[in-house]
Amino acid sequence: MVSADLAGAAGRWLASAPGSAVPTWNLVSDIRQMLMFPFMVHALRAGTIVAVTAGALGWFMVLRRQSFAGHTLAIVSFPGAAGAILLGVSVSIGYFAVTIAAALVIAAAPRSIGGRARSSESAIIGTVQAFALACGALFVSLFGGFLNGVTDLLFGSFLGISSGQVLVLLAAAVVTLALLALIARPLFFATVDPDVAAARGVPVRLLSAVFLVLLGCATAEVSQITGALLVFALLVMPAATAQRLTARPALSFTLTIAIALATAWLGLGVAFFSAYPVGFYITTFGFAGFVLASAWREGGRLVRRRARRRTPSAVVAAP
Amino acid sequence: MREPRHSDPDPPRPADAVRFEHAAVQVGGRTIWSDVNISVPSGEFCAVLGPNGVGKSTLVKAALGLVPLSAGSVTVLGQPAGQSGRRIGYLPQRRSFDPGLRVRGIDVVRLGSDGERWGVPLPFADRLLPSRRAARERVAEAIEVVGATAFAGRPIGQVSGGEQQRLLIAQALVRRPSLLVLDEPLDSLDLPSQTAVAALIARICREHGVTVMLVAHDVNPILPYLNRVAYLARGGAVCGTPAEVITSPTLTALYGTPVEVLRASDGRLVVVGEPEAPARHTDRHGDQARPW
């Protein structure tokens, strides 16, 4: 049923080649035109849910320097989905089961608080990642006939999202975000200052494991929209952009969610009027935001440095 | 050197803030130290000295209840170790903050006040709820005490080592603890910062009545302020006033090999003949080079 869904999505993909939806450049009427299609409404709902979840988890992931673990969880979602299609079960189940399992494996890997074991951790993560990709390749070749589906799994598609899938995403997002809210402050403590947190009785290791599982859930959600390879567009880019702009935790968290929502909506909107994959657009908008934020910060730093240099020289030049 | 204060006619103190009695610790079957007797009277500034690798950090962790004793007992603020958490401010051995960490110093200090509470800090709660407002004022006050107001708003990875250390002391102080436990707070600071931070800790001890237990491997920056010294060497410990402990006969007995304490012309004490410390710095200094 799901593979049929994917095949159908690919078919509709071809049908939505340039010309089938043409922007009038009148924003209101364009949006109205977009919302006439139920699949587009589903996609926007799913994109909204996914953007908020990814932004929230991604903010902590970037702060915790666990992007490599997040990347692996995203990669792992590919064999998860491919395996689910092969077994004929729901793709959502495949995504969630495999990313959560991988999160538990990564959490079980030894990790010292001081960071000495980080290199061995990344070796374990890399090993898991390579094996997972290989499994995905195997599942695809075992199944044989869904090459278009493979592209969707890797690079994303928003055409095949059903209202049932939206509900699954919503339920998973509510649970994930509620748990994150429960552990948010001790997790922040354990991230910024693990030694003192541990001395204060914060269960640092447990929090790390719970966080990885939540991150697994988030990547499983995002993968369903952006594809396994472009998960980072929503997981890393908004958080990295926001953290470049401000060092205030509450502000950068809010900014992360806002940027994630903006890139998801913009990406979906533009993809609707275009023949190219949605993952590309979401990633491009995310990347543009990151570049702009970096330029803003570096520019500000340059201006300040120049101002500082000018003041003393002016004093020296004065007679 | 100042006269040790515990000989002053002070009002009688309730009890020792920290007291080790015949304590021993084993890690992985190896005895780190044994038969250690150390007492730190309330309100005093006590240094835990000794060569590297001798178990000074382990001593501190035992006092905090993070490492169990294999023999003897340790009492902290009148309770067994590990049961007076909120009344102890702890500054672990040198933490290096990633220079790219985009979190302000004030946020790190604030975590000292409520970091282990579950949930999310509600937006604007610190302006609306009286208890939150009080916590916010305590954070500002702790930052003020350590003289960090000017740089508390900058990302912590981008301030200097001495400034980070001040912020971390503020974090340890934010709950107004009765006991401050500092593990090598002067390590890897430049000399002026060492002097300034040592003076700051002494002032906190004196003006706020906080007992200080400070681990160091170099006694000189803190010697002018010390009331008490616990000298840890391989196998055992000696505790007393600096004048009692840092002497040739005491250290010779402690090390089991001739050790001489000299006084340089500027008043600094120099310990000569100290055996080389075993080279196992397993828990010291992260393996990354420090940016500052």
Side-chain angles (χ1 to χ4, degrees):
Chain A
M1 171 211 124
V2 178
S3 51
D5 227 34
L6 277 162
R12 266 171 293 164
W13 183 268
L14 291 173
S16 74
S20 62
V22 179
T24 61
W25 300 112
N26 175 340
L27 207 59
V28 177
S29 76
D30 277 352
I31 290 174
R32 198 171 290 154
Q33 183 192 353
M34 204 162 71
L35 295 182
M36 269 162 44
F37 295 92
F39 81 88
M40 208 48 216
V41 174
H42 291 161
L44 282 169
R45 281 181 185 152
T48 305
I49 296 165
V50 158
V52 172
T53 317
L57 271 299
W59 188 80
F60 279 98
M61 185 186 77
V62 170
L63 202 66
R64 292 173 65 80
R65 309 255 180 271
Q66 284 191 313
S67 295
F68 191 44
H71 182 62
T72 300
L73 292 173
I75 294 289
V76 158
S77 71
F78 164 61
I85 292 170
L86 184 64
L87 293 174
V89 297
S90 155
V91 178
S92 295
I93 292 177
Y95 275 123
F96 283 109
V98 172
T99 51
I100 289 172
L104 290 173
V105 169
I106 295 171
R111 181 173 206 235
S112 82
I113 285 172
R116 196 167 281 258
R118 207 167 280 162
S119 53
S120 89
E121 185 199 42
S122 42
I124 291 169
I125 294 174
T127 311
V128 171
Q129 187 178 3
F131 180 64
L133 264 181
C135 287
L138 174 73
F139 296 155
V140 167
S141 83
L142 279 178
F143 188 74
F146 71 117
L147 275 180
N148 283 319
V150 173
T151 316
D152 285 353
L153 290 183
L154 291 178
F155 297 106
S157 151
F158 62 108
L159 294 163
I161 298 164
S162 65
S163 56
Q165 256 174 313
V166 173
L167 273 180
V168 171
L169 286 180
L170 181 65
V174 166
V175 173
T176 308
L177 290 177
L179 280 172
L180 182 68
L182 185 68
I183 65 166
R185 184 161 31 197
L187 182 66
F188 183 65
F189 197 5
T191 300
V192 172
D193 205 351
D195 292 338
V196 175
R200 283 285 184 77
V202 172
V204 176
R205 249 201 102 101
L206 177 71
L207 283 179
S208 170
V210 171
F211 173 71
L212 277 168
V213 169
L214 295 179
L215 188 61
C217 291
T219 47
E221 294 210 350
V222 186
S223 302
Q224 301 183 36
I225 306 296
T226 62
L229 294 183
L230 300 181
V231 163
F232 267 29
L234 289 176
L235 211 55
V236 171
M237 283 175 172
T241 307
Q243 290 185 15
R244 301 215 124 206
L245 291 175
T246 174
R248 293 167 173 269
L251 185 62
S252 77
F253 186 82
T254 317
L255 211 54
T256 301
I257 306 279
I259 294 170
L261 280 173
T263 48
W265 287 339
L266 270 174
L268 284 168
V270 173
F272 174 73
F273 294 106
S274 142
Y276 306 109
V278 64
F280 168 73
Y281 288 111
I282 293 181
T283 312
T284 303
F285 288 124
F287 185 65
F290 181 74
V291 169
L292 282 178
S294 301
W296 168 268
R297 194 172 133 194
E298 291 304 316
R301 202 180 281 170
L302 214 65
V303 167
R304 255 174 282 139
R305 200 174 301 159
R306 206 166 278 171
R308 222 177 296 148
R309 214 176 286 158
R310 200 170 293 156
T311 331
S313 68
V315 171
V316 171
Chain B
M1 199 175 68
R2 215 174 52 183
E3 200 58 34
R5 203 170 22 145
H6 84 160
S7 60
D8 294 351
D10 269 359
R13 301 274 187 187
D16 288 341
V18 181
R19 185 204 294 272
F20 284 87
E21 281 171 310
H22 306 290
V25 160
Q26 287 188 342
V27 175
R30 192 170 60 90
T31 301
I32 306 289
W33 34 255
S34 59
D35 201 27
V36 163
N37 294 290
I38 291 173
S39 59
V40 184
S42 291
E44 295 213 336
F45 189 160
C46 173
V48 179
L49 300 170
N52 291 338
V54 82
K56 300 190 296 279
S57 293
T58 311
L59 187 83
V60 160
K61 285 180 182 156
L64 293 168
L66 298 174
V67 171
L69 294 182
S70 59
S73 70
V74 53
T75 316
V76 178
L77 300 173
Q79 284 172 304
Q83 289 182 16
S84 31
R86 286 190 72 90
R87 290 156 64 208
I88 302 176
Y90 172 48
L91 190 146
Q93 206 169 57
R94 189 76 194 163
R95 294 161 278 168
S96 59
F97 287 95
D98 190 326
L101 183 66
R102 300 283 291 160
V103 171
R104 296 170 303 168
I106 188 174
D107 300 313
V108 176
V109 176
R110 187 172 297 144
L111 282 172
S113 106
D114 62 2
E116 72 269 45
R117 279 168 45 147
W118 299 99
V120 195
L122 295 170
F124 309 113
D126 54 356
R127 267 164 241 178
L128 302 175
L129 299 175
S131 65
R132 299 282 79 213
R133 202 183 306 144
R136 195 167 105 135
E137 278 158 15
R138 273 205 304 279
V139 169
E141 183 194 283
I143 290 173
E144 176 90 45
V145 165
V146 301
T149 314
F151 49 85
R154 287 171 53 197
I156 188 139
Q158 286 170 19
V159 300
S160 74
E163 289 169 343
Q164 284 189 4
Q165 209 58 285
R166 282 172 187 272
L167 287 164
L168 293 176
I169 291 170
Q171 186 201 47
L173 277 179
V174 75
R175 283 180 176 173
R176 298 181 181 151
S178 325
L179 171 66
L180 203 52
V181 177
L182 310 163
D183 197 348
E184 302 257 16
L186 308 180
D187 194 23
S188 79
L189 297 185
D190 56 25
L191 217 61
S193 306
Q194 282 193 5
T195 317
V197 171
L200 166 69
I201 295 166
R203 183 166 59 81
I204 290 164
C205 173
R206 203 172 48 239
E207 290 176 7
H208 299 257
V210 179
T211 312
V212 175
M213 192 172 164
L214 181 148
V215 173
H217 60 261
D218 180 12
V219 69
N220 291 311
I222 44 174
L223 195 53
Y225 311 108
L226 290 180
N227 306 121
R228 210 165 173 79
V229 167
Y231 213 104
L232 211 57
R234 240 180 298 176
V238 172
C239 181
T241 62
E244 288 164 8
V245 174
I246 307 179
T247 62
S248 303
T250 313
L251 293 187
T252 301
L254 195 61
Y255 282 111
T257 178
V259 174
E260 208 172 337
V261 177
L262 306 175
R263 186 174 292 274
S265 57
D266 62 351
R268 284 160 58 109
L269 291 179
V270 183
V271 181
V272 184
E274 191 179 351
E276 281 301 306
R280 47 182 154 74
H281 296 176
T282 45
D283 63 340
R284 301 175 64 79
H285 321 305
D287 40 2
Q288 305 159 309
R290 264 181 221 99
W292 46 86

